[in-house]
């Protein structure tokens, strides 16, 4: 028998489908971007989702770092008050 023909198996198959409604202006902008960058709409949308989720994750990490820094500053102030009152 001959080997199977067709597309090779993917390491990360895209089995989920998402439908989104957009206005004419958004669709034109997306199509123009895809044409100018030689990418499919699916590729651009996947990259945009990943970038968006990464930014949200980074914002959460920055917020945690800011809180940690504030706690550190509050501790320093607290200890300086104690030391000054001795």
């Amino acid at each position: 028998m001959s080997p199977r023909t067709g597309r090779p198996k993917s390491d990360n198959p895209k089995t989920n489908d998402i439908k989104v409604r957009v206005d004419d202006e958004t669709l034109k902008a997306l199509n123009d971007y895809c044409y100018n960058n030689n990418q499919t709409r699916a590729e651009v949308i996947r990259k945009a989702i990943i970038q968006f989720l990464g930014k949200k994750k980074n914002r959460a990490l920055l917020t945690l770092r800011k809180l940690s820094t504030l706690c550190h500053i509050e501790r320093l102030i607290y200890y300086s008050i104690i030391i000054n009152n001795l």
Side-chain angles (χ1 to χ4, degrees), residues 15-38:
T15 57
N16 300 306
D17 189 16
I18 300 173
K19 180 177 178 175
V20 179
R21 292 178 182 260
V22 296
D23 57 40
D24 292 339
E25 184 180 336
T26 303
L27 182 61
K28 182 176 180 344
L30 176 61
N31 287 336
D32 289 346
Y33 181 89
C34 293
Y35 178 79
N36 292 331
N37 292 283
N38 197 28

Side-chain angles (χ1 to χ4, degrees), residues 26-66:
T26 303
L27 182 61
K28 182 176 180 344
L30 176 61
N31 287 336
D32 289 346
Y33 181 89
C34 293
Y35 178 79
N36 292 331
N37 292 283
N38 197 28
Q39 295 180 331
T40 66
R41 285 193 285 193
E43 290 171 327
V44 171
I45 292 169
R46 270 190 225 108
K47 288 177 184 178
I49 291 170
I50 290 168
Q51 184 179 9
F52 173 78
L53 294 175
K55 283 184 178 179
K56 287 192 72 119
K57 182 179 174 184
N58 288 340
R59 275 191 229 130
L61 288 173
L62 287 173
T63 301
L64 287 175
R65 286 186 189 135
K66 286 178 184 175

